[in-house]
PDB file of all heavy atoms in Angstrom:
ATOM      1  N   GLU A  55      10.351   6.177 -19.509  1.00 98.00           N
ATOM      2  CA  GLU A  55      10.882   7.296 -20.289  1.00 98.00           C
ATOM      3  C   GLU A  55      11.857   6.809 -21.351  1.00 98.00           C
ATOM      4  O   GLU A  55      11.844   7.299 -22.491  1.00 98.00           O
ATOM      5  CB  GLU A  55      11.559   8.309 -19.365  1.00 98.00           C
ATOM      6  CG  GLU A  55      10.589   9.084 -18.500  1.00 98.00           C
ATOM      7  CD  GLU A  55      11.294  10.015 -17.520  1.00 98.00           C
ATOM      8  OE1 GLU A  55      12.541  10.051 -17.515  1.00 98.00           O
ATOM      9  OE2 GLU A  55      10.582  10.691 -16.772  1.00 98.00           O
ATOM     10  N   VAL A  56      12.696   5.847 -21.006  1.00 98.00           N
ATOM     11  CA  VAL A  56      13.652   5.308 -21.964  1.00 98.00           C
ATOM     12  C   VAL A  56      12.920   4.637 -23.116  1.00 98.00           C
ATOM     13  O   VAL A  56      13.273   4.836 -24.298  1.00 98.00           O
ATOM     14  CB  VAL A  56      14.624   4.321 -21.276  1.00 98.00           C
ATOM     15  CG1 VAL A  56      15.384   3.481 -22.289  1.00 98.00           C
ATOM     16  CG2 VAL A  56      15.595   5.079 -20.385  1.00 98.00           C
ATOM     17  N   SER A  57      11.898   3.844 -22.815  1.00 97.00           N
ATOM     18  CA  SER A  57      11.173   3.164 -23.892  1.00 97.00           C
ATOM     19  C   SER A  57      10.445   4.183 -24.776  1.00 97.00           C
ATOM     20  O   SER A  57      10.389   4.019 -26.000  1.00 97.00           O
ATOM     21  CB  SER A  57      10.191   2.141 -23.326  1.00 97.00           C
ATOM     22  OG  SER A  57       9.186   2.778 -22.570  1.00 97.00           O
ATOM     23  N   ALA A  58       9.911   5.253 -24.177  1.00 98.00           N
ATOM     24  CA  ALA A  58       9.253   6.290 -24.974  1.00 98.00           C
ATOM     25  C   ALA A  58      10.267   7.001 -25.866  1.00 98.00           C
ATOM     26  O   ALA A  58       9.992   7.283 -27.043  1.00 98.00           O
ATOM     27  CB  ALA A  58       8.558   7.292 -24.069  1.00 98.00           C
ATOM     28  N   LEU A  59      11.445   7.269 -25.330  1.00 98.00           N
ATOM     29  CA  LEU A  59      12.476   7.928 -26.137  1.00 98.00           C
ATOM     30  C   LEU A  59      12.982   7.024 -27.260  1.00 98.00           C
ATOM     31  O   LEU A  59      13.274   7.498 -28.360  1.00 98.00           O
ATOM     32  CB  LEU A  59      13.641   8.371 -25.245  1.00 98.00           C
ATOM     33  CG  LEU A  59      13.335   9.551 -24.324  1.00 98.00           C
ATOM     34  CD1 LEU A  59      14.508   9.791 -23.380  1.00 98.00           C
ATOM     35  CD2 LEU A  59      13.040  10.795 -25.129  1.00 98.00           C
ATOM     36  N   LYS A  60      13.069   5.724 -26.992  1.00 98.00           N
ATOM     37  CA  LYS A  60      13.478   4.792 -28.054  1.00 98.00           C
ATOM     38  C   LYS A  60      12.433   4.757 -29.169  1.00 98.00           C
ATOM     39  O   LYS A  60      12.784   4.721 -30.349  1.00 98.00           O
ATOM     40  CB  LYS A  60      13.699   3.396 -27.486  1.00 98.00           C
ATOM     41  CG  LYS A  60      15.000   3.265 -26.746  1.00 98.00           C
ATOM     42  CD  LYS A  60      15.223   1.843 -26.264  1.00 98.00           C
ATOM     43  CE  LYS A  60      16.533   1.742 -25.519  1.00 98.00           C
ATOM     44  NZ  LYS A  60      16.786   0.380 -25.041  1.00 98.00           N
ATOM     45  N   ALA A  61      11.154   4.765 -28.799  1.00 97.00           N
ATOM     46  CA  ALA A  61      10.097   4.777 -29.808  1.00 97.00           C
ATOM     47  C   ALA A  61      10.148   6.077 -30.603  1.00 97.00           C
ATOM     48  O   ALA A  61       9.994   6.074 -31.835  1.00 97.00           O
ATOM     49  CB  ALA A  61       8.732   4.615 -29.143  1.00 97.00           C
ATOM     50  N   GLU A  62      10.393   7.195 -29.915  1.00 98.00           N
ATOM     51  CA  GLU A  62      10.494   8.477 -30.607  1.00 98.00           C
ATOM     52  C   GLU A  62      11.697   8.499 -31.533  1.00 98.00           C
ATOM     53  O   GLU A  62      11.626   9.022 -32.649  1.00 98.00           O
ATOM     54  CB  GLU A  62      10.599   9.605 -29.580  1.00 98.00           C
ATOM     55  CG  GLU A  62      10.564  10.984 -30.186  1.00 98.00           C
ATOM     56  CD  GLU A  62      10.586  12.072 -29.136  1.00 98.00           C
ATOM     57  OE1 GLU A  62      10.521  11.776 -27.937  1.00 98.00           O
ATOM     58  OE2 GLU A  62      10.669  13.245 -29.537  1.00 98.00           O
TER      59      GLU A  62
END
Side-chain angles (χ1 to χ4, degrees):
E55 289 176 0
V56 165
S57 64
L59 289 173
K60 283 183 180 180
E62 186 177 354

